[in-house]
Amino acid sequence: MCRCTTASAPVQLVKQGLFPCSPVYPALAISLEMLEFAATLFVHLAPNEATWCDALTMFLSKRGHVFDAKDSFRRRFGTALHQYQVLI
């Protein structure tokens, strides 16, 4: 009898250095290094998360990464950043 257990998607992502944007069914994960950078940046800069996310969305879309809604990345990133800062 096998007692193998498969780690949940969020646990697998964290083990790979990524932070899930949702605790149950993550559709997007962000690099822990990027979250650390953003957290540090917003300590030393007026926090304008929406503008920063808009700029990053434009940067990524020019490279073929398209999000399903206009503020999709901003909402997901904001959630992940908040949860990351709570954990840290």
Side-chain angles (χ1 to χ4, degrees):
M1 185 159 142
C2 179
R3 293 182 183 250
C4 303
T5 58
T6 303
S8 66
V11 170
Q12 291 179 38
L13 289 169
V14 170
K15 286 181 179 180
Q16 295 295 318
L18 301 168
F19 196 85
C21 290
S22 169
V24 181
Y25 299 109
L28 179 71
I30 299 171
S31 161
L32 290 168
E33 292 177 351
M34 176 62 77
L35 289 170
E36 178 62 26
F37 169 74
T40 302
L41 177 69
F42 294 147
V43 166
H44 300 284
L45 184 71
N48 193 342
E49 187 178 302
T51 300
W52 189 80
C53 285
D54 287 346
L56 189 55
T57 299
M58 289 182 350
F59 174 83
L60 292 172
S61 67
K62 288 181 180 179
R63 285 151 182 80
H65 303 284
V66 181
F67 296 96
D68 51 355
K70 183 179 181 216
D71 64 343
S72 177
F73 180 74
R74 183 184 54 78
R75 284 184 288 111
R76 292 175 183 177
F77 183 83
T79 299
L81 181 61
H82 172 74
Q83 294 300 325
Y84 173 79
Q85 289 174 319
V86 167
L87 289 173
I88 295 303

